[in-house]
Amino acid sequence: MGEGATAPRPAVFIDRDGTLNRDNYYMYRFEDFRWIDGVPEALGRLKRAGLALAVVTNQSGINRNYYTERDVLELHRAIDQDLMAREGVTIDGWYHCPHNPNVEKCACRKPAPGMLLAAARDLSLDPARSYMVGDKLIDLQAGLAAGVRLPILVLTGYGQAERDRAPQGTVIRDDFPGAADYILKDFLG
């Protein structure tokens, strides 16, 4: 490592809709955003324990012209402001894939690992010491393809329906706060 470089740090890669918030089908306005109970506090605990937080979210509504990229960026800014007001922390990096899988193939749309790899590069994260939390099989697949230490399926959002499809070795928790409890116990040893 060169002078001034920092060692890659552990992180929690997190799906957005259905994991952090109620999945309101192509949501792009903060007025429609609803945290799942206990999520802001769980994010605060993870961040204060020294884990970076990177949200990785498929947002094909951009390509489908339901909303704009600017709408997504504004929503993420508003979520960060709300999280700062509640817990004194923000998300380290927001990554979204705007592509419509019916129109184009890309390297960023989950289950591809592109967003996680971009976050790892941009934020100096170590996937091998990190976790992926999501409510869909594609979240777990993206995490495994990026080399995360552990995928965690939450049973909120689509999680209940995806449970039987989870790869062997996947940790399953009721919700994101439960996933955070597991991560903190594992991380802090």
Side-chain angles (χ1 to χ4, degrees), residues 65-77:
N65 294 316
Y66 296 160
Y67 47 84
T68 67
E69 192 146 8
R70 183 179 186 158
D71 291 330
V72 171
L73 297 175
E74 288 177 9
L75 172 61
H76 292 165
R77 254 191 306 279

Side-chain angles (χ1 to χ4, degrees), residues 121-136:
R121 182 187 62 245
D122 296 348
L123 303 172
S124 188
L125 306 177
D126 182 359
R129 294 173 43 219
S130 299
Y131 307 83
M132 175 69 214
V133 182
D135 69 321
K136 293 181 182 172

Side-chain angles (χ1 to χ4, degrees), residues 6-14 46-54 92-93 116 119-120 123-132 147-150 183-184 186-188:
T6 58
R9 56 195 173 138
V12 182
F13 297 101
I14 313 161
L46 292 168
K47 187 85 176 252
R48 287 188 285 278
L51 289 151
L53 305 174
D92 292 281
L116 286 82
L123 303 172
S124 188
L125 306 177
D126 182 359
R129 294 173 43 219
S130 299
Y131 307 83
M132 175 69 214
V148 299
R149 173 179 171 8
L150 191 63
I183 291 166
L184 289 169
D186 184 69
F187 178 66
L188 298 173

Side-chain angles (χ1 to χ4, degrees), residues 43-121:
L43 291 167
R45 289 185 292 129
L46 292 168
K47 187 85 176 252
R48 287 188 285 278
L51 289 151
L53 305 174
V55 173
V56 290
T57 178
N58 289 344
Q59 292 297 316
S60 68
I62 295 169
N63 185 272
R64 297 171 197 263
N65 294 316
Y66 296 160
Y67 47 84
T68 67
E69 192 146 8
R70 183 179 186 158
D71 291 330
V72 171
L73 297 175
E74 288 177 9
L75 172 61
H76 292 165
R77 254 191 306 279
I79 295 169
D80 262 343
Q81 289 171 348
D82 187 62
L83 186 57
M84 177 59 83
R86 290 170 183 260
E87 288 295 316
V89 302
T90 59
I91 302 298
D92 292 281
W94 292 92
Y95 294 81
H96 66 273
C97 170
H99 304 112
N100 180 340
N102 300 321
V103 175
E104 58 192 310
K105 187 157 175 69
C106 66
C108 55
R109 184 173 178 81
K110 295 177 290 182
M115 288 187 285
L116 286 82
L117 297 175
R121 182 187 62 245

